[in-house]
Amino acid sequence: MTAVALLATLAVACGGEQDVAVSTPRPVTGIDWTVDSVTVDGTTRHAPAHAHVRFEDGRAAGNYGCNQFSATAQVTDGRIRLSHARTTRMACDDARMTFERALARTLTAGPLTMKTEGSKLTLTTAGGDRVQLSRK
């Protein structure tokens, strides 16, 4: 390719980039996240006060709303995958247990797409279920 052709190609390729905003993904690890809600099959459930999670050093740990949990966490390329989850086995009222089961299933459903916006984090399954979180 000649120098003129190369410059013309670069000029065309760069011409429309003036209006494109470059977004740098915000880190999700090393942050205490409060769980706000979980949406499964179109039904949104608001989190009990103690639901939270922290992703750090290949691990996730927190509270599903009643029980404590820990899991292996792989964070790569805008996705997170939790596996090998372990939990305590306390019993709570029906509303908290219903929320807890929905949250646990959603967090371990496979790779979750991560989207950060300000102090908010949304984790979404391939099927569209999602967990909404906020920085503590």
Side-chain angles (χ1 to χ4, degrees):
M1 180 179 281
T2 67
V4 172
L6 178 61
L7 289 175
T9 302
L10 289 173
V12 170
C14 295
E17 291 184 23
Q18 295 171 348
D19 298 322
V20 176
V22 176
S23 172
T24 303
R26 299 179 79 116
V28 298
T29 59
I31 297 168
D32 293 316
W33 295 100
T34 298
V35 178
D36 297 325
S37 65
V38 62
T39 302
V40 176
D41 296 329
T43 300
T44 299
R45 290 180 173 82
H46 296 282
H50 300 292
H52 66 275
V53 65
R54 182 179 181 94
F55 308 105
E56 191 165 35
D57 298 328
R59 305 283 306 150
N63 184 294
Y64 285 136
C66 176
N67 286 285
Q68 299 292 322
F69 75 94
S70 65
T72 301
Q74 293 176 301
V75 180
T76 56
D77 299 327
R79 293 189 185 273
I80 189 164
R81 178 187 290 269
L82 300 186
S83 60
H84 304 96
R86 300 181 70 147
T87 184
T88 58
R89 295 183 183 257
M90 293 175 37
C92 293
D93 63 81
D94 287 342
R96 284 172 56 181
M97 295 308 294
T98 298
F99 177 85
E100 179 165 300
R101 284 188 293 274
L103 178 60
R105 278 193 309 269
T106 304
L107 287 176
T108 59
L112 303 165
T113 302
M114 299 183 296
K115 179 182 176 190
T116 55
E117 188 172 320
S119 64
K120 302 287 186 181
L121 170 63
T122 304
L123 305 175
T124 307
T125 68
D129 296 338
R130 67 185 175 279
V131 179
Q132 298 287 127
L133 306 107
S134 298
R135 284 179 183 254
K136 271 190 170 179

